Amino acid sequence: DFRNGFRSKILPELYAFDPDILFLSAGFDGHEDDLIGNCHLVDQDFAWVTEQMVAVANRCCGGRLVSVLEGGYNSRAEAVSPLAHS
């Protein structure tokens, strides 16, 4: 499961690394409506992971976080997910 893996593997490593700034490549290929990505994430997953990354940025690097929108091949999915990410 995406959230459990992120919680148990990614977040502890990020906190241990203690970055000065976070750069996110915010692609939406993983959205369930993306016909190529086949990852089955929903809008709420993108919102959740964004909240987690903001929390890391606030704790480790004074809120410094840069997010760049890229990726995703389904226009319907892209119309919703970037809003969940913002």
Side-chain angles (χ1 to χ4, degrees):
D1 163 70
F2 170 72
R3 293 186 192 196
N4 286 335
F6 200 88
R7 234 184 251 117
S8 65
K9 297 183 186 329
I10 304 297
L11 288 176
E13 293 293 329
L14 273 173
Y15 284 118
F17 182 69
D18 195 28
D20 294 325
I21 189 169
L22 292 176
F23 290 91
L24 302 180
S25 175
F28 295 97
D29 302 64
H31 194 280
E32 68 179 354
D33 289 339
D34 186 291
L35 302 175
I36 297 173
N38 200 30
C39 293
H40 309 292
L41 300 178
V42 297
D43 297 330
Q44 293 82 4
D45 292 322
F46 290 98
W48 178 85
V49 77
T50 299
E51 291 169 3
Q52 303 309 303
M53 296 306 292
V54 168
V56 171
N58 286 337
R59 179 172 162 186
C60 296
C61 45
R64 291 184 295 269
L65 183 145
V66 176
S67 180
V68 178
L69 177 61
E70 57 84 19
Y73 300 97
N74 184 297
S75 59
R76 189 170 87 92
E78 290 176 9
V80 178
S81 296
L83 298 177
H85 184 72
S86 61

